[in-house]
Amino acid sequence: MNYSKKVMDHFAHPRNVGEMEDANAVGMVGNQKCGDIMKMMMKIENDVIVDCKFQTFGCGAAVATSSMATELVKGKTVQEALQLTNKAVMEALDGLPAVKVHCSVLAEEAIRAALVDYYKRQGIDPEPIVGCSGECTDCHHDHGHGEEEEE
Ligand code: FES
């Protein structure tokens, strides 16, 4: 399998990995098929994502895509971050092997889940704002890996 230099770099040296104590937006999603879990934490001030960290119990591509995703949303507004697609993350990494595309979807979903949490904490219904990409099989806007389903 061929991974780009950027993927290898973000896998070997993930950016923004770790806990964030003062996060005010936290999202956790999982992929039922591979069992990988991704947690995104953000600090948002005046609708701007001033800091973003992640933790993942996932494959190398999950590490690389979430690392890149945190870099892409940092400094952006919530509205801009909502436009971030897994495709944009993949492009920023110079592509991913086809079998690893779902890993980048997990990164996108984790960002969205964090933003859902951000709105919920303010008493705002996130559904009309965040919506759903419809691509994720197990994301129900908050704890995506809550349901067990046998393959
Ligand atoms: Fe599950 Fe990559 S194999 S996220």
Side-chain angles (χ1 to χ4, degrees), residues 31 34-36 38 58-62 99-100 102-104 106:
N31 182 303
C34 62
D36 291 356
M38 201 182 285
C59 72
V99 295
K100 287 288 166 184
H102 75 271
C103 316
S104 65
L106 201 59

Side-chain angles (χ1 to χ4, degrees), residues 102-124:
H102 75 271
C103 316
S104 65
V105 173
L106 201 59
E108 180 193 316
E109 292 298 340
I111 298 268
R112 280 173 174 274
L115 296 174
V116 162
D117 182 51
Y118 173 67
Y119 284 115
K120 274 190 182 163
R121 287 185 197 212
Q122 299 171 79
I124 300 170

Side-chain angles (χ1 to χ4, degrees), residues 29-33 106 136-141 143-147:
V29 293
N31 182 303
Q32 288 173 352
K33 285 191 186 144
L106 201 59
C136 185
T137 49
D138 48 10
C139 165
H140 294 296
H141 296 306
H143 302 288
H145 54 281
E147 294 156 45

Side-chain angles (χ1 to χ4, degrees), residues 80-99:
E80 286 167 336
L82 281 171
Q83 309 297 316
L84 185 75
T85 60
N86 74 301
K87 223 175 137 228
V89 176
M90 281 199 295
E91 272 162 21
L93 285 168
D94 293 336
L96 273 179
V99 295

Side-chain angles (χ1 to χ4, degrees), residues 7 12-13 17 38 48 51 58 65 79 102 112-113 129:
V7 173
H13 313 283
V17 67
M38 201 182 285
V48 175
D51 202 6
T65 50
Q79 287 74 21
H102 75 271
R112 280 173 174 274
I129 307 163

